[in-house]
DNA sequence: TTAATGACCTATC
DNA sequence: CGATAGGCCATTA
């Protein structure tokens, strides 16, 4: 596993419950805004879903990817709603309202 | 080392 | 609006 994946996982781990972040945002917080696709691939091979809340990562518009590996897009939506995240439509989370903030990164746990 | 692969994003029509 | 086309870049085979 590459170093960048580690950086990405560390960021995803810090997304608080009830909040979401876009792939691009995770990429930027991990160190490079151009890593959006890399974030997608990193989560695709998520080695520790129990501690890496990949369901809190959506597209920049809040849309859920149809390729969610653990139970499908519907499962991801249920998980988010369970945490209090509201949806604009069937596949779009209200990311403008629940987007994670920079201060969330301060939770030092790494 | 080279080529292929995406759970993305932006610009353009 | 939506559809399409490029770009992007770490990782893998």
């Amino acid at each position: 596993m590459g170093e960048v994946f580690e950086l990405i996982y560390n960021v995803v781990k810090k997304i608080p419950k009830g909040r979401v972040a876009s792939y691009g945002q995770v990429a930027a917080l991990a160190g490079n805004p151009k890593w959006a696709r890399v974030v997608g691939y990193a989560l695709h091979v998520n080695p520790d879903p129990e501690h890496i809340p990949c369901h809190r990562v959506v597209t920049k518009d809040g849309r859920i990817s149809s390729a969610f590996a653990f139970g499908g897009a519907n499962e991801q939506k249920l998980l988010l709603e369970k945490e209090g995240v509201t949806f604009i439509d069937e596949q779009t989370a209200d990311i403008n309202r629940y987007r994670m903030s920079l201060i969330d990164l301060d939770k030092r746990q790494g």
Side-chain angles (χ1 to χ4, degrees):
Chain A
M1 193 138 49
E3 299 177 19
V4 174
F5 277 22
E6 300 278 342
L7 295 173
I8 290 171
Y9 294 142
N10 280 335
V11 171
V12 176
K13 280 180 185 172
K14 292 172 183 171
I15 305 176
K17 181 180 174 187
R19 294 297 203 71
V20 298
S22 73
Y23 294 90
Q25 185 181 7
V26 170
L29 295 177
N32 188 334
K34 296 176 180 177
W35 287 343
R37 299 189 74 169
V38 179
V39 171
Y41 190 69
L43 293 183
H44 175 67
V45 295
N46 186 352
D48 188 9
E50 303 227 356
H51 299 95
I52 302 175
C54 54
H55 65 280
R56 301 193 184 127
V57 183
V58 295
T59 72
K60 74 182 177 67
D61 300 317
R63 267 201 305 282
I64 291 178
S65 170
S66 56
F68 186 64
F70 308 92
N74 188 54
E75 175 66 16
Q76 182 172 4
K77 181 176 183 242
L78 289 178
L79 286 172
L80 288 176
E81 288 182 322
K82 198 164 145 190
E83 296 182 353
V85 175
T86 60
F87 277 66
I88 296 174
D89 65 39
E90 197 60 33
Q91 283 195 320
T92 310
D94 194 345
I95 189 174
N96 289 323
R97 192 167 148 183
Y98 298 99
R99 195 194 310 272
M100 78 176 285
S101 60
L102 286 172
I103 63 174
D104 294 323
L105 286 180
D106 278 344
K107 290 186 180 176
R108 17 199 161 269
Q109 57 180 37

